C-alpha cells in the first residue's frame, strides 16, 4: 500500500465537502473585498461536479484544492473581465467516509481524516470483535480491549510528540528538527521513524514555502529601493536642466527689454521651463508611489513573519493540550488494564504486532482493487477496511497469554 499523503495532495472525490473563499484586492481603496455570493460550503456531487454562482458547474473530482482554486479564479476573471484573477482558497472540511467491516466491535461508516491509518480505523470501530465463547471468557477480551486502547493512545501520543518537535523547530526557526526528546524510549520504533520522517517532510515543505515568500518580498523591496534611487537621480538631473533653462530665460528677458531679442523667443523658453518643471513633478510623484509600494512590501514581510509565528504558536498550544489529554487517558487505561489482572512491567507488552488480525483494504468501490494491509497502512477517503480475526491459527501474544491464564483461574461468568 502507498504511504501517507499530505492533506494538500488530496484529490477531491464525490461526497467531499469543501469551503470556498474568494477575495479581491481593490487597489483604489487599498483593501480586500470578499465575494460573499460565492463564499460558503459546497459538496462534490456523485458526478464529480460543484455548482457555483457566476461560474456554473465546475469539474472538481480528481483535482487538488490548489488546482480547483486556480480554475475557479481563472473562470471568475473571464466572466467578470477583471484585470487580474481574484484570490480563491479551497479547504476540505469533510472527506468521504471510510467503512470498516468484519471482525470488529462496531462495523460501519466513519469520518475520514488526513493521515488515518488502519490501526486508528480499527480503534474507531471499537477494536476487535468481542465474543462470549472465546477461550478464557470476558476477562481476556477486556484485557485485549484495554491493551488495544493503550496501543492506540501510544501511537497518537507519539505522533503528537513528533509534531510538537516540528512546531518547536518552526517557532525557533531552527534549520532542523530535534526529535531526540520526542522519540526517547518510543514503544513503536517503526512508527516513530515514520512519524519523524513525515514531520520532517512537512517541516521542509513549510520552511521552503515560507522562505520563498519572504525572499520574494525581499527581492520586491530591493527593486523598489533601486527604483527610488534612480528616480532621485533623475530628479537631480532635472533640477540641473531647470536651473540652466531659467538662467537662459533671464538672459533672454534682458535682451527682450533692450530690444535685441524678440518676445516669441522668451515665450518659447518659458514653455520649456514649464515643461521641465512639470516633468520634475511627475518624477516626484513616481518616487512617492515607489516609496508607498516599498512601505507596503515591508509591511507584508512583517505580516508574513507575524502570521507564521501566530499560526505555529496556536498549533503548538493545541498539540500541547492534546499531549496532556493523551497522557491522562493513557494513565487511566493502564489502571483499568491492571485492574483486570494484566501486567505492564514492559512497555513492549502494549504492542499490537503479535495480535492475530489480518487487514484487507478495498479501494475504488465494492468492485475495486483489494490489497493486503498492515496496521500502519494509510487509508484514503472512500476505502473499505475488512478486518479478519483468526484466533485459532495465530499465536497468542504475551499479554493475551497472561489474560488467558488469569481467566482460566477465574470463575466463568
Amino acid at each position: 500500500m502507498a504511504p501517507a499523503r499530505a492533506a494538500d495532495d488530496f484529490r477531491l472525490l464525490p461526497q467531499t465537502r469543501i469551503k470556498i473563499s474568494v477575495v479581491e484586492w481593490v487597489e483604489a481603496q487599498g483593501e480586500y473585498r470578499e465575494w460573499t455570493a460565492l463564499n460558503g460550503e459546497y459538496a462534490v456531487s456523485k458526478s464529480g461536479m460543484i455548482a457555483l454562482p457566476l461560474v456554473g458547474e465546475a469539474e472538481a473530482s480528481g483535482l487538488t484544492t490548489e488546482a480547483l482554486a486556480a480554475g475557479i479564479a481563472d473562470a471568475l476573471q473571464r466572466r467578470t473581465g477583471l484585470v487580474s484573477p481574484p484570490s480563491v482558497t479551497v479547504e476540505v472540511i469533510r472527506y468521504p467516509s471510510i467503512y470498516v467491516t468484519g471482525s470488529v466491535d462496531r462495523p460501519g461508516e466513519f469520518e475520514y481524516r488526513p493521515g488515518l491509518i488502519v490501526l486508528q480505523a480499527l480503534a474507531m470501530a471499537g477494536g476487535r470483535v468481542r465474543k462470549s465463547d472465546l477461550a478464557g471468557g470476558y476477562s481476556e477480551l477486556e484485557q485485549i480491549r484495554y491493551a488495544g486502547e493503550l496501543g492506540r493512545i501510544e501511537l497518537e501520543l507519539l505522533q503528537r510528540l513528533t509534531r510538537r518537535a516540528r512546531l518547536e523547530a518552526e517557532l525557533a526557526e531552527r534549520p532542523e528538527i530535534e526529535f531526540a526528546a520526542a522519540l526517547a524510549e518510543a514503544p513503536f520504533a517503526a512508527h516513530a521513524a515514520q512519524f519523524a520522517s513525515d514531520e520532517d517532510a512537512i517541516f521542509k515543505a513549510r520552511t521552503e514555502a515560507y522562505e520563498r515568500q519572504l525572499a520574494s518580498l525581499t527581492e520586491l523591496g530591493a527593486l523598489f529601493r533601486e527604483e527610488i534611487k534612480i528616480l532621485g537621480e533623475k530628479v537631480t538631473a532635472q533640477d540641473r536642466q531647470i536651473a540652466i533653462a531659467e538662467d537662459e530665460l533671464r538672459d533672454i528677458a534682458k535682451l527682450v527689454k533692450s530690444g535685441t531679442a524678440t518676445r516669441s523667443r522668451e515665450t518659447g523658453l518659458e514653455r520649456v521651463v514649464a515643461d521641465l518643471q512639470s516633468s520634475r513633478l511627475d518624477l516626484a510623484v513616481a518616487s512617492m508611489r515607489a516609496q508607498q509600494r516599498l512601505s507596503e512590501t515591508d509591511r507584508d514581510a512583517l505580516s508574513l513573519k507575524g502570521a507564521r509565528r501566530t499560526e505555529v504558536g496556536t498549533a503548538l498550544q493545541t498539540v500541547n493540550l492534546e499531549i496532556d489529554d493523551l497522557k491522562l487517558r493513557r494513565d487511566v487505561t493502564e489502571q483499568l488494564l491492571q485492574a483486570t489482572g494484566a501486567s505492564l512491567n514492559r512497555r513492549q507488552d502494549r504492542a499490537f504486532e503479535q495480535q492475530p488480525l489480518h487487514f484487507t483494504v478495498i479501494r475504488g468501490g465494492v468492485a475495486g482493487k483489494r490489497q493486503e494491509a498492515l496496521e500502519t497502512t494509510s487509508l484514503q477517503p472512500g476505502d473499505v477496511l475488512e478486518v479478519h480475526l483468526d484466533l485459532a491459527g495465530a499465536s497468542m501474544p504475551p499479554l493475551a497469554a497472561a489474560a488467558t491464564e488469569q481467566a482460566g483461574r477465574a470463575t466463568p461468568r
Side-chain angles (χ1 to χ4, degrees):
M1 298 294 291
R5 300 180 304 170
D8 294 340
D9 296 333
F10 170 70
R11 295 187 178 275
L12 299 175
L13 298 170
Q15 301 181 4
T16 307
R17 191 159 189 84
I18 59 177
K19 179 180 179 181
I20 298 178
S21 301
V22 183
V23 296
E24 175 192 3
W25 173 253
V26 182
E27 188 173 359
Q29 300 177 4
E31 61 182 9
Y32 285 98
R33 180 175 62 195
E34 294 187 2
W35 291 33
T36 54
L38 281 169
N39 293 350
E41 297 181 3
Y42 300 85
V44 181
S45 66
K46 292 182 178 180
S47 60
M49 309 291 287
I50 58 171
L52 297 170
L54 296 179
V55 176
E57 284 201 336
E59 180 73 29
S61 182
L63 299 177
T64 63
T65 53
E66 291 82 0
L68 179 59
I72 294 173
D74 291 341
L76 289 173
Q77 183 183 15
R78 290 194 303 270
R79 294 293 180 89
T80 58
L82 293 173
V83 176
S84 58
S87 175
V88 180
T89 57
V90 178
E91 176 188 2
V92 176
I93 58 176
R94 185 179 177 87
Y95 295 85
S97 301
I98 63 163
Y99 305 86
V100 183
T101 183
S103 301
V104 293
D105 187 55
R106 296 190 301 274
E109 176 183 357
F110 302 93
E111 183 178 352
Y112 175 83
R113 62 177 183 272
L116 186 68
I117 61 175
V118 167
L119 185 59
Q120 293 169 331
L122 175 64
M124 293 166 64
R128 67 176 64 246
V129 67
R130 304 171 189 170
K131 294 183 179 180
S132 59
D133 58 349
L134 289 176
Y138 286 108
S139 178
E140 176 190 356
L141 297 179
E142 289 174 356
Q143 290 182 355
I144 293 175
R145 178 167 62 86
Y146 290 136
E149 178 68 13
L150 273 178
R152 185 180 69 85
I153 292 174
E154 289 285 8
L155 276 177
E156 292 187 7
L157 183 59
L158 181 58
Q159 187 179 46
R160 298 305 193 282
L161 288 171
T162 54
R163 184 178 303 170
R164 181 171 68 178
R166 189 254 299 174
L167 292 171
E168 288 175 344
E170 289 184 359
L171 192 63
E173 298 184 355
R174 291 196 295 263
E176 294 180 351
I177 308 176
E178 297 176 0
F179 283 118
L183 303 183
E185 299 182 2
F188 300 95
H191 302 74
Q194 183 61 50
F195 290 151
S197 176
D198 293 343
E199 292 297 335
D200 189 59
I202 296 172
F203 173 77
K204 290 178 180 177
R206 285 172 54 86
T207 301
E208 289 174 1
Y210 169 71
E211 289 177 349
R212 282 197 302 269
Q213 289 179 289
L214 196 59
S216 177
L217 290 172
T218 302
E219 182 179 352
L220 185 59
L223 290 175
F224 285 141
R225 288 184 175 87
E226 185 64 23
E227 180 182 358
I228 293 169
K229 177 182 176 182
I230 293 174
L231 288 172
E233 294 174 354
K234 286 185 175 182
V235 168
T236 302
Q238 192 77 356
D239 287 339
R240 288 198 299 267
Q241 293 181 21
I242 291 173
I244 293 171
E246 288 177 342
D247 290 342
E248 187 177 355
L249 179 59
R250 283 192 291 270
D251 293 339
I252 293 299
K254 294 178 182 178
L255 294 175
V256 170
K257 286 183 179 180
S258 64
T260 307
T262 61
R263 177 64 180 169
S264 60
R265 187 175 178 186
E266 182 182 18
T267 303
L269 278 174
E270 288 175 346
R271 282 197 298 268
V272 170
V273 171
D275 290 341
L276 290 172
Q277 291 174 339
S278 177
S279 297
R280 192 209 183 274
L281 289 175
D282 291 340
L283 290 172
V285 171
S287 179
M288 292 173 62
R289 288 176 177 170
Q291 288 279 5
Q292 181 181 4
R293 291 194 293 269
L294 176 60
S295 298
E296 292 173 354
T297 302
D298 292 340
R299 186 172 64 248
D300 289 343
L302 291 174
S303 298
L304 177 64
K305 294 178 181 178
R308 175 179 167 85
R309 292 189 65 83
T310 301
E311 176 194 355
V312 174
T314 302
L316 184 58
Q317 184 181 35
T318 301
V319 81
N320 281 329
L321 291 174
E322 292 174 348
I323 288 173
D324 291 341
D325 178 65
L326 286 169
K327 287 181 177 179
L328 177 61
R329 287 165 52 193
R330 182 184 65 186
D331 293 343
V332 172
T333 307
E334 283 181 350
Q335 293 176 14
L336 291 172
L337 183 56
Q338 290 171 339
T340 65
S343 174
L344 284 177
N345 293 330
R346 294 181 297 122
R347 179 161 293 190
Q348 287 76 4
D349 288 345
R350 302 173 187 172
F352 265 109
E353 283 78 336
Q354 299 179 16
Q355 296 296 337
L357 288 177
H358 304 279
F359 306 100
T360 302
V361 173
I362 305 174
R363 185 161 296 163
V366 177
K369 184 177 180 181
R370 301 174 65 92
Q371 296 180 344
E372 295 295 320
L374 302 174
E375 295 166 351
T376 55
T377 298
S378 299
L379 298 176
Q380 296 181 12
D383 282 354
V384 177
L385 172 64
E386 288 186 349
V387 181
H388 308 282
L389 181 63
D390 184 13
L391 288 176
S395 60
M396 189 170 295
L399 183 60
T404 302
E405 182 180 355
Q406 174 73 18
R409 294 194 300 265
T411 302
R413 285 180 290 180

